[in-house]
Amino acid sequence: MQLYDAIHAARAISKQAYAPYSGFRVGAAILTEGGTLYDGCNVENASYGLSICAERGAVMKMIADSPPEDRRIRLVAVVSPNTAPCFPCGACRQVLREFGCEEVVVLDAEGAPSRYPFEEILPNSFGPEAL
Ligand code: THU
């Protein structure tokens, strides 16, 4: 059920996307190990390179609002009404990696979820335990 809660949250917040330049709307929802959901949408900027992806928006919200003991990411669901599936970009993969993300869920054109172990989408990754 929590998986579908995350998908629902991602789809809902994609409608909040601020994407006047690309027109590409994205919603993301993080489910923590503790069972809390944090959502985010992309926020673009007239200075294009400053645009923030939905996934990183969700991470910012998690860090701002979570107790420090519940910052492990069980999964992230990513939704875009523009295209399916919508995978996290490379920068977002690395940011999600920081918080131990275990799984990425994307939706096909019919809305059916595909689940990817995080290691599959960011193999041999660099993380905080290496330091
Ligand atoms: N975008 C996301 O928010 N997440 C993704 O996974 C891919 C791309 C945003 C960034 C930008 O606002 C727009 O989509 C087009 O790249």
Side-chain angles (χ1 to χ4, degrees), residues 13-125:
I13 200 162
S14 71
K15 298 181 175 66
Q16 290 293 114
Y18 176 74
Y21 305 105
S22 72
F24 192 84
R25 306 167 80 81
V26 186
I30 284 169
L31 176 66
T32 67
E33 295 287 359
T36 307
L37 280 176
Y38 297 99
D39 56 8
C41 59
N42 53 330
V43 180
E44 297 186 344
N45 192 275
S47 179
Y48 297 168
L50 299 181
S51 300
I52 304 285
C53 293
E55 296 89 329
R56 274 178 284 164
V59 170
M60 301 310 133
K61 194 180 278 188
M62 178 187 78
I63 293 303
D65 293 351
S66 62
E69 65 276 10
D70 187 24
R71 291 174 168 176
R72 299 288 295 177
I73 299 176
R74 164 77 193 87
L75 61 81
V76 62
V78 185
V79 170
S80 173
N82 298 63
T83 193
C86 179
F87 283 92
C89 78
C92 289
R93 292 178 197 203
Q94 184 64 37
V95 171
L96 291 161
R97 166 68 173 86
E98 183 76 12
F99 302 101
C101 186
E102 291 172 14
E103 194 176 352
V104 173
V105 181
V106 294
L107 304 182
D108 69 17
E110 281 73 48
S114 295
R115 306 175 66 163
Y116 294 84
F118 198 78
E119 172 67 19
E120 209 171 292
I121 68 154
L122 192 67
N124 305 316
S125 59

